[in-house]
Amino acid sequence: MNPFDHRKYQAFPPIQLPNRRWPSQQIQQAPRWCSVDLRDGNQALIEPMNPTQKMALFKLLVEVGFKEIEVGFPAASQTDFDFVRQIIEQGLIPEDVTIQVLTQAREELIQRSFEALKGARQAIMHLYNSTSTVQREQVFAKSKDEIKAIAVQGARWVQQCAEQQTETDWTFEYSPESFTGTELEYAVEVCDAVNQVWRPTREKPVIINLPATVEVATPNVYADQIEWMGDHIQYRDAVIISLHTHNDRGCGVAAAELGVMAGADRVEGTLLGNGERTGNMDIVTMAMNLYSQGIDPALDLSNMDKIIQTVTECTQLPVHPRHPYAGELVFTAFSGSHQDAIKKCLQRYTPNDCWQVAYLPIDPADLGRSYQEVIRINSQSGKGGIAYILEQDYGLQMPRWLQVDFSQHVQHYAETESAEVSPATIYSIFEQSYIERKEPVQLAGYQISRQQEQDQLSATLHINDQATLISGNGQGVLDAFTSALNHQLGHNMVLVDYSEHTLGDNERSEAIAYIQLNINNQRYCGVGKSKDIIEASLQAVLSAVNSSMPALEARNVVPA
């Protein structure tokens, strides 16, 4: 039998919800966020975080703006217990932040968890036990009534311990672990039984957390489950419905978003999706999804590089370069057509405009990213992207015909090297392809005068290292120079196009000239640079002339 056999699996049954409302809903505001990085994320690491790492991550979570932070599983780990005590005793928890701890429904673990929280201003005690069919029947071998009794007894122990620590403002949370694999009628029965113990009110609500401990179906099925629970649970106006999705099917964010559309009030997750197996719901992605729709995410993710640095140092896990919003390459275009579209949109965009830039769903600058990283060059890139980089980094405003010509040099280099081409290398290729092309004809000096409404030009050239004096006249300096060159070199040379600009904003700035010549019925491009604009123009003409005898190939260019 083939071990890769789909027949050993069965489809998750759909939820019978003919009048479902969530598909027509739209998220209008951010949910309540709860970070579980320090507990769920920590447990998923090959090497769990040490106290220094936990403290660094806790401070980051506070800085980002989380108001609810699950700080550990103090009954299961001495490290977690000590960390909870440290942040309480040292007064490191801001007044507007509520810490949360997780505990199983066992008396000694609940007591230990309350002991860890002594002295906290406010705290969430998160109680859980597994309710799914598989867990009941195959792991615990207990009936529905026995599993419900565990939850109810756990709720009683939580309430009793809370009554003995009245200095803390308590919020109770209950999770039917593996909710998505639990029959809905039974899930609501267990949650109602817990709430019968806690008796929540609008003034003192409880959190009912409905985790996709294992993602077992498409996100729409999870949304159906959430809507069904919201419609059937008792004390609904005193219950905060919370989500805790995992990413086994790669849909953790989608499931959470649809769950919020289905009526959930709160979302638990981790920064960048760290967590067991394929990970927890990625709060960065979901929050930025809201942000991209014009919704305040209620979190400050503007310094994305700091978030990535802290998370990677604490978890020792890398961030994929294509990770939504956070990855190194998510705002980068290598494709020529993409680069051209981005370049044109950015040229039209002005601050305070509504953001509408092709291929960029949000402004990279909002996350502390620079536009220099938006367009990067490889063998698939086009003229627009290359021109954008040279303009952004070096102030060059290449006319379109020069962009077309130069892109071929860069493409050839990229294909030969089989690598991305850095901005410094692009500029080096540009200089050596045009500005430094001084053989076999080089300008040594020139003089101009004006006679009878024409420019008279004489110039000293070095042609194959031999000094030669040329002279000519015409309607302008360039016309006079090309006439002299035609006579000297025996060419049929016609000026096709010309452009110039300064490379700075004062009288000492260099000028740069771009020229396109038709030489013997073939077009060549040239570039010249000098503090003297006339000299720059003459150098550009000779650059084009030299390219015709013969053109310098990009493979001969030495990169910066």
Side-chain angles (χ1 to χ4, degrees), residues 392-411:
Q392 291 291 308
D393 289 10
Y394 298 97
L396 303 184
Q397 300 168 20
M398 291 194 298
R400 183 173 178 81
W401 43 266
L402 184 59
Q403 294 177 27
V404 174
D405 187 81
F406 180 53
S407 67
Q408 299 173 46
H409 295 287
V410 178
Q411 292 270 355

Side-chain angles (χ1 to χ4, degrees), residues 397-399 401 478 495 497-501 512-516 526 528 533 537 540:
Q397 300 168 20
M398 291 194 298
W401 43 266
L478 289 180
L495 176 63
D497 214 331
Y498 173 79
S499 178
E500 66 182 42
H501 64 85
I512 191 165
Y514 314 104
I515 202 159
Q516 187 180 42
I533 184 58
S537 302

Side-chain angles (χ1 to χ4, degrees), residues 187-192 195 206 208 210 226-237 239-241:
V188 80
E189 178 183 336
V190 175
C191 292
D192 285 345
N195 280 336
V206 301
I208 295 296
L210 302 174
I226 300 304
E227 183 168 298
W228 191 97
M229 288 292 291
D231 288 343
H232 291 83
I233 198 168
Q234 296 178 11
Y235 301 99
R236 179 63 185 97
D237 60 350
V239 168
I240 297 164
I241 291 184

Side-chain angles (χ1 to χ4, degrees), residues 154-165:
R156 292 196 184 107
W157 285 324
V158 166
Q159 187 173 50
Q160 291 166 5
C161 289
E163 290 171 352
Q164 297 171 13
Q165 290 180 213

Side-chain angles (χ1 to χ4, degrees), residues 349-426:
Y349 176 74
T350 58
N352 301 321
D353 281 353
C354 181
W355 182 260
Q356 288 185 313
V357 175
Y359 302 110
L360 297 179
I362 68 162
D363 186 347
D366 294 352
L367 300 182
R369 300 288 173 83
S370 67
Y371 291 126
Q372 280 75 11
E373 290 298 308
V374 169
I375 291 176
R376 289 163 63 173
I377 306 302
N378 64 12
S379 62
Q380 302 300 309
S381 304
K383 57 186 179 298
I386 294 167
Y388 177 85
I389 285 177
L390 288 180
E391 181 173 359
Q392 291 291 308
D393 289 10
Y394 298 97
L396 303 184
Q397 300 168 20
M398 291 194 298
R400 183 173 178 81
W401 43 266
L402 184 59
Q403 294 177 27
V404 174
D405 187 81
F406 180 53
S407 67
Q408 299 173 46
H409 295 287
V410 178
Q411 292 270 355
H412 189 93
Y413 177 85
E415 290 170 357
T416 302
E417 298 298 317
S418 300
E420 181 185 349
V421 190
S422 71
T425 299
I426 292 172

Side-chain angles (χ1 to χ4, degrees), residues 40-75:
D40 206 343
N42 182 54
Q43 290 177 314
L45 301 176
I46 297 173
E47 295 182 24
M49 283 180 269
N50 60 40
T52 300
Q53 291 168 327
K54 288 177 75 73
M55 185 61 69
L57 188 50
F58 175 75
K59 290 180 178 178
L60 174 70
L61 295 170
V62 170
E63 182 179 331
V64 165
F66 284 97
K67 303 305 178 186
E68 297 178 9
I69 302 172
E70 192 166 83
V71 291
F73 201 148

Side-chain angles (χ1 to χ4, degrees), residues 262-505:
D265 311 292
R266 180 179 185 265
V267 172
E268 295 185 349
T270 60
L271 294 175
L272 306 175
N274 175 42
E276 292 282 5
R277 303 182 308 281
T278 54
N280 285 59
M281 201 286 297
D282 179 358
I283 289 181
V284 167
T285 298
M286 182 171 175
M288 289 307 304
N289 284 352
L290 298 180
Y291 181 81
S292 72
Q293 301 300 302
I295 299 171
D296 181 0
L299 296 172
D300 182 2
L301 303 174
S302 60
N303 194 344
M304 188 60 70
D305 286 344
K306 180 178 180 180
I307 293 171
I308 294 169
Q309 179 185 23
T310 304
V311 172
T312 54
E313 287 179 354
C314 292
T315 64
Q316 302 180 59
L317 293 174
V319 174
H320 195 283
R322 303 291 183 185
H323 192 109
Y325 302 105
E328 177 189 356
L329 297 178
V330 295
F331 299 118
T332 299
F334 288 102
S335 162
S337 60
H338 290 196
Q339 292 173 346
D340 186 60
I342 291 170
K343 174 177 176 285
K344 290 174 179 175
C345 290
L346 288 177
Q347 287 175 335
R348 295 171 64 93
Y349 176 74
T350 58
N352 301 321
D353 281 353
C354 181
W355 182 260
Q356 288 185 313
V357 175
Y359 302 110
L360 297 179
I362 68 162
D363 186 347
D366 294 352
L367 300 182
R369 300 288 173 83
S370 67
Y371 291 126
Q372 280 75 11
E373 290 298 308
V374 169
I375 291 176
R376 289 163 63 173
I377 306 302
N378 64 12
S379 62
Q380 302 300 309
S381 304
K383 57 186 179 298
I386 294 167
Y388 177 85
I389 285 177
L390 288 180
E391 181 173 359
Q392 291 291 308
D393 289 10
Y394 298 97
L396 303 184
Q397 300 168 20
M398 291 194 298
R400 183 173 178 81
W401 43 266
L402 184 59
Q403 294 177 27
V404 174
D405 187 81
F406 180 53
S407 67
Q408 299 173 46
H409 295 287
V410 178
Q411 292 270 355
H412 189 93
Y413 177 85
E415 290 170 357
T416 302
E417 298 298 317
S418 300
E420 181 185 349
V421 190
S422 71
T425 299
I426 292 172
Y427 185 67
S428 178
I429 295 171
F430 178 82
E431 283 197 317
Q432 296 184 49
S433 296
Y434 301 109
I435 296 173
E436 296 178 8
R437 186 179 286 165
K438 299 183 183 299
E439 297 293 340
V441 185
Q442 184 172 0
L443 180 68
Y446 73 92
Q447 287 184 332
I448 56 173
S449 61
R450 183 78 173 170
Q451 294 181 9
Q452 298 179 351
E453 297 184 353
Q454 282 201 326
D455 287 300
Q456 307 288 326
L457 180 140
S458 61
T460 301
L461 305 179
H462 287 165
I463 303 177
N464 292 323
D465 295 327
Q466 182 176 350
T468 303
L469 181 65
I470 65 171
S471 63
N473 58 72
Q475 299 295 325
V477 173
L478 289 180
D479 188 30
F481 191 47
T482 55
S483 295
L485 286 172
N486 278 333
H487 178 75
Q488 177 66 38
L489 301 175
H491 287 330
N492 180 17
M493 188 182 307
V494 178
L495 176 63
V496 177
D497 214 331
Y498 173 79
S499 178
E500 66 182 42
H501 64 85
T502 62
L503 292 171
D505 54 7

